[in-house]
Amino acid sequence: MRGFIKPLLLGAALLSVPALAATRDTPEVKLQKLIGERVAGAPVDCIDLHGSQSSQIIDGKAIVYRSGAKLYVNTPKSGAESLNDDDILVTKTFSSQLCRMDAVHMVDRSSGFPRGFVLLDKFVPYTKAKTSK
């Protein structure tokens, strides 16, 4: 029985090595996976926050806001390199819209300390392509 357990444990260890060695996707690849088959529209200066359901940070690259089936991608004008998907976004707005040149502050999820801010640029809407019948 002992002779059987050693090879079994060695085989299990070898199978787990590729999972440990897997590389993380680049920010560009993460964004492309999120966008998928959607098509970019004309950039807009503001988005309505009432329809916005969630936001997602793409490390060092962009913030993606989801509104129904539409995604709005904002590549900040300044500070994008400090974006971290483990941070909490804090946005102070003075209307029902989030606009170009608004500042979004980032807070460390673990400590609660401020980590910086980004200045937003235009929002690029991505919608699913219409299929022809």
Side-chain angles (χ1 to χ4, degrees), residues 17-45:
V17 170
L20 294 174
T23 58
R24 294 186 71 185
D25 287 339
T26 64
E28 290 76 16
V29 170
K30 284 182 182 180
L31 183 58
Q32 190 54 51
K33 283 181 178 179
L34 187 61
I35 291 170
E37 299 291 319
R38 290 179 174 88
V39 177
V44 296
D45 286 332

Side-chain angles (χ1 to χ4, degrees), residues 50-71:
H50 291 303
S52 185
Q53 298 155 332
S54 65
S55 60
Q56 181 175 344
I57 297 173
I58 305 296
D59 285 346
K61 177 81 175 160
I63 304 171
V64 180
Y65 297 91
R66 183 178 299 274
S67 181
K70 191 179 286 190
L71 298 178

Side-chain angles (χ1 to χ4, degrees), residues 17-128:
V17 170
L20 294 174
T23 58
R24 294 186 71 185
D25 287 339
T26 64
E28 290 76 16
V29 170
K30 284 182 182 180
L31 183 58
Q32 190 54 51
K33 283 181 178 179
L34 187 61
I35 291 170
E37 299 291 319
R38 290 179 174 88
V39 177
V44 296
D45 286 332
C46 299
I47 60 171
D48 187 15
L49 289 175
H50 291 303
S52 185
Q53 298 155 332
S54 65
S55 60
Q56 181 175 344
I57 297 173
I58 305 296
D59 285 346
K61 177 81 175 160
I63 304 171
V64 180
Y65 297 91
R66 183 178 299 274
S67 181
K70 191 179 286 190
L71 298 178
Y72 289 94
V73 176
N74 190 290
T75 304
K77 184 181 265 325
S78 171
E81 65 280 349
S82 64
L83 287 171
N84 182 324
D85 68 356
D86 198 39
D87 286 343
I88 297 169
L89 298 176
V90 178
T91 308
K92 294 179 185 174
T93 59
F94 301 98
S95 71
S96 63
Q97 294 187 317
L98 186 60
C99 295
R100 179 177 154 268
M101 297 306 292
D102 281 346
V104 176
H105 296 266
M106 296 170 297
V107 175
D108 183 89
R109 186 178 304 275
S110 301
S111 67
F113 288 116
R115 281 197 3 96
F117 69 95
V118 296
L119 289 177
L120 298 177
D121 204 353
K122 291 191 175 210
F123 297 83
V124 179
Y126 285 86
T127 55
K128 292 184 179 180

